[in-house]
Amino acid sequence: MSTIKVSKSKTVATKTAKPLVKGVNNERLSTWNYVAAPESTDHIQLQSQYQLFINGKFVKPSSKKYFDTINPATEQKLAEVAQANAKDIDLAVKSAKNAYDQTWSKMKPTERAKYIFRIARLMQERAREFAVIETMDGGKPIRESRDIDIPLACNHWFYYAGWADKLDYAFPGRKAKSLGVAGQIIPWNFPLLMAAWKIAPALACGNTVVLKPAETTPLTALKLAEIIQESGLPDGVVNIVTGYGDAGAELVNHPLINKIAFTGSTPVGKSIQKAIAGTNKRATLELGGKAAHIIFDDAPIDQAVEGIINGIFFNQGHVCCAGSRLFIQESIASIVIKKLKQRMQTLMVGDPLDKNTDIGAINSKEQLEKINYYVKLGEKEGAEMYQPNCKLPSAGYFFKPTLFLHTSQSHRIMQEEIFGPVLAIQTFRTIEEVIEKANNIPYGLSAGVWTDKGSKIFNLTTKLRAGVVWANTYNKFDPASPFGGYKESGFGREGGIHGLNAYVKF
Ligand code: NAP
Ligand code: MG
């Protein structure tokens, strides 16, 4: 049983000394300093060394090499993880192929559903453990891993367990057949959730898989492997191989792979597309984004400001659909910017395990360097930067929430994906102008709009070149709802009935 430590100390309110935002009522900005409320880590069991999960067993890598995974909030090592090479990838793919031919493709869909459902239940039972490990390995606030990542991941498994024996209803009048072995490669921003998005629909449609997690966040995928073992899923149906980008490339190039499902950056997505050109391999690519968040003068301003804050600072901006470009209708620009600055002053940046924390640690040193590079570039390009006067922890990788004013369409901070808590702001006058500005980008993953008028929402949703458009809300996900991009944000959809499409042929 896990123990919960209850602090007896009460929340204390103190006024911050310095004036916070010039020209605004600082009395209202007095922040509440909360007593730290860290989630306990007593119940977490991590091994010092993790192996590859191949054919239902944990096996040593043939390279005999291991790499460290660290906690980006403390820079301390959490565990060492096996580094797969070409030989290991070959073994994993062959075990998936064997499981596909001998067991999984022959199994009745109702039986397959039971295994998927069992994995969902086991994951739900260990939700707290998964949430804490996700936060320690990746740096995201515990509030997010606990309330968003893990419940959503469980829901994905439940949702696709439901479809496994109902494919005839998903594709009426057609007989859906599985593809074979899927090679799946995922990034570090939603590690367990991305694993669920990939594995659950693949299994529901009768495929077997080899999954490669990102090198900075392999731990929850390895914990998932433990659950898979416990569920009694036939050996080889799911294989999880940790390693660097070269292991991902080996997976892409393996001749026995029938489908590649990739979520990650646009440059790697492009290299995968080149590598599989001329083969029979199918692909879905979920790539980068630079979402436009649009606020009209008839919007409920306070709610919109909260939505904008959530849209860009949620998960440190490590979100492919982060609302990283903000377009404000000119007549309300000054009030929106003032309120945004006020709200940024009250955001809590720090220990991701603390339940009060809004902005946790940046995932890696490299990512922190990338964000620093873009913020310096923004200033060099002539934009005006604003950051709240919060203090960052002395160890670990942290970055203050940042916004840029006076940007132009040609600024690189307005065009390129930063993948950090950095918001670039522009104003607009007419709906035509904002559509043109929002679409003037190589990406097309998501967008958000805040207005009182339904007609404006419908007008925009038909004209914005983005896979998802949220109206009067942001960053909402559900397993029944499809997700995917336009243009350089990739192709194919994950989630919902559309997500099944990616794993069947007719
Ligand atoms: P990344 O560098 O492209 O890495 C993604 C995955 O691919 C990692 O597992 C990585 O391994 C692996 N990889 C690297 N080089 C490879 C190669 N040549 N061949 C095959 N696999 C390779 O992306 P990231 O930095 O982890 O993630 C951030 C990006 O993901 C952002 O651009 C974000 O927008 C995008 N993203 C998109 C979505 C979506 O749904 N559209 C969702 C989440 C994230 P290593 O970790 O070992 O490098
Ligand atoms: Mg890590």
Side-chain angles (χ1 to χ4, degrees), residues 99-171:
Y100 177 77
D101 291 339
Q102 304 300 323
T103 343
W104 199 244
S105 66
K106 293 183 180 158
M107 192 182 279
K108 273 192 185 160
T110 45
E111 291 304 306
R112 290 203 290 251
K114 285 183 202 166
Y115 285 109
I116 303 171
F117 189 78
R118 199 177 295 158
I119 294 168
R121 286 293 303 271
L122 288 168
M123 189 182 281
Q124 208 173 35
E125 280 165 18
R126 287 169 64 174
R128 190 156 163 249
E129 184 187 353
F130 270 104
V132 174
I133 295 174
E134 200 73 303
T135 283
M136 289 169 76
D137 203 17
K140 63 172 60 196
I142 186 71
R143 228 172 46 210
E144 281 167 21
S145 44
R146 182 195 63 194
D147 299 347
I148 296 168
D149 292 62
I150 312 305
L152 261 179
C154 296
N155 286 349
H156 255 83
W157 285 94
F158 280 122
Y159 177 80
Y160 283 109
W163 274 120
D165 60 350
K166 300 177 194 70
L167 294 183
D168 290 347
Y169 299 94
F171 307 104

Side-chain angles (χ1 to χ4, degrees), residues 68-72 78 136-138 215-219 363:
D68 293 347
T69 186
I70 64 153
N71 179 342
L78 292 170
M136 289 169 76
D137 203 17
E215 69 196 54
T216 56
T217 53
L219 293 180
N363 182 265

